[in-house]
Amino acid sequence: MFLFFYVPILVLMVYSFNDSKTGTTWTGFTFEWYAQLFSNGQILSATKNSLFIAIVTTVISALIGTLAALALHRYDFPGKKLFDFLFYIPVVIPHVVVAVALLSLYGWMDVTLGTTTVIPGHVALTTSYVIFVVMARLVRFDSSIEEAAKDLGANGWHTFWRVTFPLIFPAILAGSLLVFTISLDEFNISYFTAGPGSNTLPVLVYSMVRQGISPEINALSTIMILLIVIGVIAAGKGMGSSNKSR
């Protein structure tokens, strides 16, 4: 199973250095496609749009998801079960349904499509993942630590930032990384809600692949894979250091 998953990725990375433009046979080693990639304004613009959307989505989803998880875990209020149920819907509903619904809503509101119109759909889609990850951490959270901090004179604000937040931060970070990856990879919502000239990377790659796989796509995919691997390793070391310090 792992070979089935990783071998195509390794082949893609190797062929990003292939001198052949067709990418079907190995003809020699070259960095040409990386040079062309960084001089391709269309790809760079789409990458910039995707990173902007992913970063804003991650910040908003992490904030809303963390607050929602704390509220659902600690408080009882009217409609709590309904809210708890509603947060499961974005996880199981087909993304294309959300995309079409948003497009209809924007049309009804006469909203001009652009880069920013993609963000609400990504936030609606990914906030639930942060809630689930943080809730899983809160279930194992020892509330006596907070009570001890309050007994020592800390108010609610200081207790949260000095005790609660550091303990749930690894879960927030894990949820944020998940949101960033999903947002960066999301195609359906981006395809339906991005305006002209506001292409995201998945939409652009899709349009390029329809005309044949370009070696520039292999080069771009290789860079993204390496950045993701570095990010995951750094996050793992950060969470490991946090656990050791506690």
Side-chain angles (χ1 to χ4, degrees), residues 50-95:
S50 291
L51 289 174
F52 171 75
I53 293 170
I55 291 172
V56 175
T57 298
T58 301
V59 173
I60 297 175
S61 295
L63 178 61
I64 297 176
T66 301
L67 294 177
L70 289 169
L72 290 171
H73 177 72
R74 295 186 171 183
Y75 304 107
D76 290 322
F77 50 87
K80 178 180 178 179
K81 290 186 177 180
L82 176 61
F83 278 103
D84 195 19
F85 170 75
L86 289 175
F87 284 124
Y88 281 93
I89 295 179
V91 178
V92 298
I93 192 172
H95 295 184

Side-chain angles (χ1 to χ4, degrees), residues 44 157 193 242:
L44 294 179
W157 182 256
T193 59
S242 177

Side-chain angles (χ1 to χ4, degrees), residues 50 53 90-104 106 113-115 117-123 125-126 129 181-195 198-207:
S50 291
I53 293 170
V91 178
V92 298
I93 192 172
H95 295 184
V96 67
V97 175
V98 180
V100 173
L102 279 173
L103 181 61
S104 301
Y106 289 148
L113 299 181
T115 304
T117 54
V118 179
I119 296 174
H122 283 207
V123 171
L125 182 69
T126 58
Y129 292 93
T181 303
I182 294 173
S183 177
L184 195 65
D185 186 57
E186 172 55 37
F187 171 79
N188 291 301
I189 293 177
S190 301
Y191 183 81
F192 279 90
T193 59
S198 303
N199 268 348
T200 61
L201 201 54
V203 175
L204 179 62
V205 170
Y206 171 73
S207 63

Side-chain angles (χ1 to χ4, degrees), residues 73-74 136-146 163-165 167-168:
H73 177 72
R74 295 186 171 183
R137 178 66 184 92
L138 288 172
V139 168
R140 296 179 284 109
F141 186 82
D142 187 1
S143 59
S144 63
I145 301 176
E146 291 180 321
V163 178
T164 308
F165 183 77
L167 291 175
I168 66 174

Side-chain angles (χ1 to χ4, degrees), residues 192-227:
F192 279 90
T193 59
S198 303
N199 268 348
T200 61
L201 201 54
V203 175
L204 179 62
V205 170
Y206 171 73
S207 63
M208 294 174 67
V209 168
R210 292 173 62 187
Q211 301 173 357
I213 300 178
S214 169
E216 294 176 38
I217 298 178
N218 293 341
L220 177 62
S221 301
T222 300
I223 293 174
M224 293 181 65
I225 291 170
L226 292 177
L227 290 177

